[in-house]
Amino acid sequence: MEEDAATMDKIVALCKRRGLIFASSEIYGGVGSTYDYGHYGVLLKTNVKNEWWRSMLSERDDIVALDSAILQHPRVWEASGHLAGFTDPLVDCRVCKSRFRADHLEERAVGLACPKKPSKLPGEGPDCDLTPAREFNLMFKTTVGPVEETGSVAYLRPETAQGIFINFKNVLQFSRKKPPFGIAQVGKSFRNEIAPGNFIFRTREFEQMEMEFFVPPADAPRWYETWKAERFDWYQRLGIRPGKLRLREHDADELSHYSSGTADVEYEFPIGWSELEGIANRGNFDLTQHTEFSGEKLEYFDQPTGERYVPHVIEPAAGADRATLAFLADAYDEEEVEGESRTVLKLHPRLAPVKVAVLPLVRKDGQPELARELFAGLRGTLQAELDEGGSIGKRYRRQDEIGTPYCVTVDHQSIEDRTVTVRERDSLAQERVGAGELLGHLAARLAAPWKSPKLG
Ligand code: ATP
C-alpha cells in the first residue's frame, strides 16, 4: 500500500480513461479549465450532492431547500458588495504574459511559479517584468434582452448565497420555521477566475452547496461552533482520512469586514493544503444590506415575546466539484495484487458511482442469462451494471478503477446451484451467496460502517 499514490496527473488520467471527467470542447482544441462530467462522474458528483442534502434535510428538521435563479436583479450584486468589492488585484508579466493574483504573490502561495525555466517565483527570474496590481471584477456580465444596446445588464451569479437572502421573506412565510433555521441550496456559480487550474479544484463554472442558517443574534457564536464541527465531521463520515483534514480559523486580517469569524475546512490535496469549504459567521450583514437596497424589511417578528430582530447568519459554503476532487484524491490507490498492479478508487460505498457489477465468467452455458436475471433484480434498488465482455481480470480492473464496491460473478457452479461469488473491492475477499439472498446481502454490506482501507 502506497500512502501517496494520488498525484493530480494520475487522478486526471484516471478520470479521462474511465469517463468520469474530461476537458470540455476537446474537438475544438479545448477551452481551458472547463470540464465535462461523463457517466461515472455524474453519478459520483450526484452522490456527493445527495449526501450533502441528506445531512441538511433528511437528518434534521430545521433546514428547508431552495433553488433560486442564476440570473438575478443587478441590484442584488450591489447590495451584496460583489459589484464593488468582488475583485482580485492582478499582476501581469510583460514578458511571459502570465497573470498572477497579487495576494498569491505576496503569500508566495504553493504552486506559484513563473512558467519560464528554470522554475522561479514570478518576479524573481532574470527577465520577469511585472505590472503593478490592477483590479479585475470576477463576475460574468451579460445582457438580458435580444438587443445588446437596449437590453439590461445582468450577471451570472458568483455564489448561490444571495439567492437565499433575497428569498428570506418568502421562505419565512410558507415554511413555518423560526430562527434557528436554515435554507439550503445547490447550484452552479460562475467566477471569471484569474488563475483557474488544478483540474476541477478551481474553474470558472462550478457547483456550490451552500446553507444559510438564521439565528437569534445572541446565539450566533454557539451556532458558528456547531456548524464548524458538523461540516468537518461530514467529510470524515464520508471516509476522508482524518489526517488529511484540518480546520483553519482565519486570522483577524483575513476576515471580511462583516464577518466575526471564518474558518476553512482544508484538505491536503496533491497540490498541498487548500480550502475545501468555508464556514462564516456573517452577522446581520446580508439581510441588512438587502433591506437597505430593496426597501423590504428582512427581519423576524416573534409573536409570543413581541420581539423583532434581524437574524444573524452562519454560512457553511462548500464546492461540489472541489469536494468530488477531495474524495477522488483520498480514494485513489495503487497496489500489487498477485504480482499485478491495480489502480483502485477506495471510495465510501455511498459515494461510489456504481454499487455492484454483475459479471458472467464466460459468455455461454447460460451464464449471461443468469447474470441478466440477477442484474434485473438489483438495478431497481442499487446502481448496478452488467458487464459481459472481455476477460474477467480486465472487467475487475475496470470496476476497481471506478470504485465499484462489489462485483458479483456468475460461473459454472452458479448454473448448477444458483449461488454466485461476491468480490469485495478493498479486501478482494470472495464469498458465495445464494441468488435469492443477493440483494439483501449487498444492501446490508453497503449500509455497514466503512472506513478508508488506506488507514491500514
Ligand atoms: P478560494 O479562496 O479558493 O477562491 P473562496 O474563499 O473564494 O475560495 P467561497 O466564496 O468561500 O470560496 O466559496 C465556497 C466554496 O466554493 C469554496 O470553498 C470552494 O469549495 C468552492 N469554490 C469557490 N470558488 C471555486 C472555483 N473557482 N472552482 C471550484 N470551486 C470553487
Side-chain angles (χ1 to χ4, degrees):
M1 192 154 40
E2 215 180 301
E3 179 54 68
D4 291 315
T7 64
M8 202 62 107
D9 287 347
K10 287 180 181 173
I11 294 168
V12 174
L14 173 72
C15 285
K16 187 176 158 95
R17 185 164 76 242
R18 292 301 178 193
L20 279 88
I21 305 166
F22 22 82
S24 184
S25 311
E26 248 177 356
I27 61 167
Y28 287 101
V31 56
S33 296
T34 313
Y35 294 92
D36 296 338
Y37 283 73
H39 181 68
Y40 298 119
V42 172
L43 293 175
L44 173 60
K45 188 160 74 148
T46 302
N47 291 342
V48 170
K49 291 185 282 183
N50 285 344
E51 286 304 319
W52 187 86
W53 278 122
R54 181 210 297 274
S55 73
M56 292 291 162
L57 299 184
S58 324
E59 291 173 354
R60 339 179 34 111
D61 58 7
D62 53 359
I63 298 179
V64 294
L66 180 78
D67 187 2
S68 70
I70 287 174
L71 297 176
Q72 293 163 18
H73 197 287
R75 293 270 285 165
V76 169
W77 309 113
E78 273 178 59
S80 69
H82 283 88
L83 213 46
F86 198 51
T87 55
D88 272 337
L90 289 184
V91 171
D92 287 313
C93 178
R94 295 186 184 95
V95 176
C96 71
K97 309 289 177 213
S98 297
R99 223 173 217 183
F100 311 98
R101 263 167 63 168
D103 60 332
H104 284 174
L105 289 178
E106 227 161 85
E107 292 163 13
R108 303 167 77 89
V110 189
L112 187 67
C114 168
K116 291 196 133 187
K117 302 278 170 243
S119 193
K120 288 231 159 64
L121 278 172
E124 296 187 358
D127 310 322
C128 296
D129 183 9
L130 301 183
T131 64
R134 288 182 292 200
E135 297 289 314
F136 182 92
N137 198 295
L138 294 183
M139 277 198 296
F140 282 98
K141 200 174 181 177
T142 185
T143 317
V144 175
V147 184
E148 203 172 330
E149 296 77 47
T150 56
S152 55
V153 166
Y155 299 92
L156 302 188
R157 68 177 175 203
E159 60 174 39
T160 61
Q162 299 305 322
I164 297 179
F165 298 127
I166 61 174
N167 277 293
F168 174 75
K169 217 173 155 178
N170 287 334
V171 174
L172 202 59
Q173 265 160 10
F174 80 76
S175 67
R176 305 172 72 210
K177 296 273 181 240
K178 54 181 274 189
F181 82 100
I183 306 177
Q185 164 152 243
V186 172
K188 285 250 165 130
S189 291
F190 303 82
R191 295 183 190 176
N192 207 348
E193 297 275 5
I194 291 86
N198 292 314
F199 195 34
I200 53 170
F201 179 84
R202 188 183 303 284
T203 49
R204 296 196 171 100
E205 173 181 345
F206 55 98
E207 261 186 297
Q208 288 191 302
M209 310 185 286
E210 295 194 294
M211 195 276 292
E212 309 301 320
F213 202 72
F214 302 92
V215 302
D219 298 345
R222 183 168 62 80
W223 278 109
Y224 174 55
E225 296 306 319
T226 303
W227 279 110
K228 278 192 295 187
E230 163 56 25
R231 293 305 305 151
F232 189 75
D233 196 45
W234 183 80
Y235 293 98
Q236 294 198 40
R237 293 203 299 274
L238 289 172
I240 298 254
R241 291 163 293 167
K244 289 279 189 175
L245 273 181
R246 70 184 185 197
L247 197 62
R248 189 182 68 82
E249 200 79 42
H250 284 202
D251 297 331
D253 61 353
E254 273 181 277
L255 294 178
S256 356
H257 61 281
Y258 51 81
S259 173
S260 57
T262 299
D264 289 342
V265 177
E266 294 187 333
Y267 177 73
E268 195 179 13
F269 286 93
I271 51 168
W273 285 98
S274 308
E275 173 179 338
L276 190 49
E277 164 161 357
I279 299 106
N281 180 348
R282 302 175 64 95
N284 64 8
F285 174 77
D286 307 278
L287 292 181
T288 310
Q289 284 292 104
H290 286 298
T291 298
E292 194 186 317
F293 278 71
S294 69
E296 195 76 52
K297 272 207 175 114
L298 302 177
E299 56 184 21
Y300 179 70
F301 177 63
D302 192 35
Q303 223 127 24
T305 62
E307 201 193 346
R308 196 179 282 283
Y309 62 86
V310 180
H312 281 210
V313 170
I314 309 300
E315 173 194 82
D321 310 272
R322 212 177 270 187
T324 299
L325 180 61
F327 288 121
L328 280 168
D330 216 64
Y332 185 99
D333 209 2
E334 291 170 353
E335 51 191 23
E336 291 286 315
V337 180
E338 290 158 8
E340 272 189 55
S341 63
R342 74 160 181 163
T343 300
V344 49
L345 287 184
K346 293 171 173 170
L347 286 165
H348 192 293
R350 277 188 175 177
L351 297 179
V354 174
K355 311 301 176 195
V356 55
V358 184
L359 321 170
L361 192 59
V362 292
R363 252 188 168 151
K364 54 181 188 183
D365 305 336
Q367 292 183 22
E369 289 76 8
L370 180 56
R372 270 175 239 152
E373 177 197 323
L374 296 175
F375 170 64
L378 295 173
R379 70 173 172 198
T381 315
L382 301 172
Q383 187 68 45
E385 197 169 272
L386 177 69
D387 189 358
E388 299 185 37
S391 83
I392 191 73
K394 273 204 181 122
R395 282 180 281 161
Y396 282 148
R397 296 291 164 270
R398 185 169 168 274
Q399 295 300 333
D400 286 343
E401 291 202 357
I402 60 167
T404 306
Y406 297 103
C407 285
V408 168
T409 312
V410 172
D411 57 16
H412 179 64
Q413 192 185 328
S414 312
I415 304 303
E416 288 173 2
D417 64 4
R418 289 185 67 84
T419 64
V420 290
T421 49
V422 175
R423 168 193 184 267
E424 204 262 331
R425 176 195 69 200
D426 301 333
S427 65
L428 295 171
Q430 305 216 10
E431 210 181 325
R432 244 183 135 99
V433 178
E437 291 87 63
L438 186 59
L439 179 57
H441 175 90
L442 289 169
R445 291 185 70 178
L446 285 164
W450 184 91
K451 87 177 168 76
S452 171
K454 287 168 94 177
L455 290 167

